[in-house]
């Protein structure tokens, strides 16, 4: 891998250097399928870049990391460019200083790959309405992570749910994919009418009210969220006419599925890394209409 540093530079010089490095390495940009813009604080950038790079092994990308530094300093743009065999695509790490922190889109726009989709990801703090943010306006998909917020997650999810626009999503939803798949499969055989239900999770876990909203939307019954000792989501219990359908996660890998009249069985329900969640989100670049229905119901009904 080749790493190249540019200090007090411009977007034009960065673009020219990327072209030079590609020709030097014999690595044309034609193989990249999207641009992933990661808007991160300095303290989150290492983990965020690692997750983005691992996700890019499935979706070769130009990864642009935007780090806003001290606003009171003189205007300056520093860049770190990485390209080579160990990098699936290209990585551009931008550090913005001074008034430039308020105009990150003017730096990012010239660096977007032409004629390819743009995805924006905020691994930590994110704007209240990502679609109205200057970086978010450049993207077809906008990914936030309520779990990455310092205020506990659910409050952040409420704010972004109320400011939802088509193309928005949150990794709190991606974390639910194995749960949703398992619950949907449990209804492959008739189980009777669901009367009510409960989702159990650690306090403040943002995926829990989203899962409850999805279940309520699909089943047409009230689903409550109750607190458990965690970690994360621990159980879903649906009250049927003749018993209970339950998924109870016993550790970080397995859950027990129980249905009336059938023996309990263990099923895989592993917690996933951020890179796996990002790879899943990058597989679809259109609006997730199931998430849209769930998050809108969540925004209407949440009473935290």
């Amino acid at each position: 891998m080749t790493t190249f540093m540019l200090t007090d530079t411009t977007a034009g010089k960065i673009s020219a250097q990327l072209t030079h490095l590609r020709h030097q390495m014999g690595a044309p940009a034609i193989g990249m399928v999207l641009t992933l813009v990661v808007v991160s604080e300095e303290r989150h950038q290492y983990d965020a870049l690692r997750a983005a790079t691992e996700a890019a092994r499935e979706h070769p990308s130009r990864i642009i990391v935007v780090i806003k530094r001290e606003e009171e300093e003189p205007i300056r743009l520093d860049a770190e460019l990485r390209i080579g065999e160990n990098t699936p695509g290209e990585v551009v790490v931008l550090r913005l200083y001074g008034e430039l922190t308020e105009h990150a889109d003017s730096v990012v726009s010239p660096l977007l790959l032409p004629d390819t989709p743009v995805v924006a990801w905020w691994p930590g703090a994110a704007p209240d309405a990502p679609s109205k943010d200057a970086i978010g306006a450049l993207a077809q998909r906008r990914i936030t992570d309520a779990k990455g917020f310092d205020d506990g997650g659910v409050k952040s999810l409420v704010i972004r749910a109320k400011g939802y626009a088509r193309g928005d999503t949150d990794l709190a939803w991606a974390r639910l994919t194995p749960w949703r798949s398992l619950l949907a499969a449990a209804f492959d055989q008739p189980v009777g009418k669901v009367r009510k239900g409960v989702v159990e999770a650690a306090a403040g876990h943002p995926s829990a009210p989203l899962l409850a909203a999805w279940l309520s939307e699909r089943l047409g019954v009230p689903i409550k969220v109750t607190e458990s000792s965690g970690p994360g989501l621990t159980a879903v219990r649906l009250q049927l006419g003749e018993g209970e359908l339950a998924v109870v996660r016993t550790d970080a890998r397995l859950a027990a599925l129980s249905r009336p009249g059938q023996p309990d069985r263990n099923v895989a329900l592993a917690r996933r890394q951020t890179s796996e969640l990002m790879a899943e989100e990058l597989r679809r670049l259109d609006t997730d209409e199931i998430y849209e229905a769930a998050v809108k119901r969540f925004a209407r009904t949440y009473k935290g």
Side-chain angles (χ1 to χ4, degrees):
M1 178 178 68
T2 297
T3 301
F4 196 89
M5 307 296 293
L6 294 170
T7 303
D8 196 8
T9 188
T10 65
K13 291 179 181 178
I14 295 169
S15 183
Q17 188 62 45
L18 280 172
T19 301
H20 173 73
L21 289 173
R22 276 202 309 272
H23 290 313
Q24 191 177 58
M25 298 289 295
I30 195 169
M32 290 182 283
V33 298
L34 59 90
T35 303
L36 175 61
V37 183
V38 184
V39 185
S40 174
E41 298 174 57
E42 190 72 66
R43 58 182 173 146
H44 294 146
Q45 67 89 12
Y46 177 81
D47 289 338
L49 181 54
R50 183 174 60 181
T53 303
E54 290 176 2
R57 300 190 186 284
E58 182 176 332
H59 311 277
S61 315
R62 173 175 288 178
I63 301 169
I64 302 174
V65 182
V66 179
I67 304 170
K68 299 179 182 181
R69 298 296 300 265
E70 293 77 8
E71 295 182 9
E72 64 275 9
E73 290 200 13
I75 293 176
R76 191 173 91 243
L77 172 62
D78 295 342
E80 179 183 341
L81 316 182
R82 304 177 192 173
I83 185 171
E85 293 182 1
N86 295 327
T87 304
E90 299 169 343
V91 173
V92 181
V93 181
L94 305 173
R95 289 182 171 86
L96 286 62
Y97 296 82
E99 292 182 15
L100 200 58
T101 59
E102 300 299 318
H103 305 282
D105 57 312
S106 66
V107 179
V108 170
S109 293
L111 300 176
L112 302 177
L113 290 172
D115 304 319
T116 58
V118 178
V119 179
W121 175 34
W122 292 265
D128 292 350
S131 65
K132 296 180 181 179
D133 176 79
I135 293 292
L138 300 173
Q140 288 77 49
R141 287 278 279 173
R142 296 165 294 275
I143 305 170
T144 54
D145 188 359
K147 193 177 179 183
F149 282 73
D150 294 333
D151 64 8
V154 174
K155 183 195 295 186
S156 306
L157 193 62
V158 172
I159 292 171
R160 261 150 294 284
K162 292 180 177 179
Y164 171 82
R166 291 175 67 83
D168 291 355
T169 193
D170 196 281
L171 294 188
W173 177 249
R175 292 184 180 93
L176 293 174
T177 299
W179 284 86
R180 294 191 298 117
S181 299
L182 180 56
L183 288 164
F187 283 88
D188 286 345
Q189 299 177 2
V191 295
K193 182 174 175 56
V194 178
R195 295 181 175 179
K196 59 182 179 178
V198 63
V199 174
E200 300 174 6
H205 194 280
S207 293
L210 264 185
L211 182 56
W214 173 72
L215 285 167
S216 187
E217 181 76 15
R218 305 296 286 184
L219 298 174
V221 299
I223 306 292
K224 297 192 302 181
V225 177
T226 62
E227 187 176 325
S228 71
S229 58
L233 283 167
T234 53
V236 173
R237 304 180 190 276
L238 302 177
Q239 189 63 48
L240 309 173
E242 299 180 359
E244 180 183 78
L245 187 156
V247 177
V248 180
R249 182 149 62 183
T250 53
D251 59 27
R253 297 178 299 106
L254 294 174
L257 171 64
S258 59
R259 289 174 289 186
Q262 298 188 34
D264 294 356
R265 64 186 181 93
N266 290 328
V267 291
L269 195 59
R271 305 180 76 178
R272 299 186 295 165
Q273 300 294 321
T274 302
S275 58
E276 297 175 81
L277 304 176
M278 283 300 297
E280 176 184 321
E281 288 300 331
L282 295 178
R283 287 181 200 127
R284 65 174 304 158
L285 299 174
D286 58 336
T287 296
D288 186 339
E289 295 179 350
I290 298 176
Y291 171 71
E292 180 179 14
V295 79
K296 286 182 176 179
R297 186 179 186 94
F298 167 69
R300 291 194 309 268
T301 59
Y302 181 74
K303 295 180 174 62

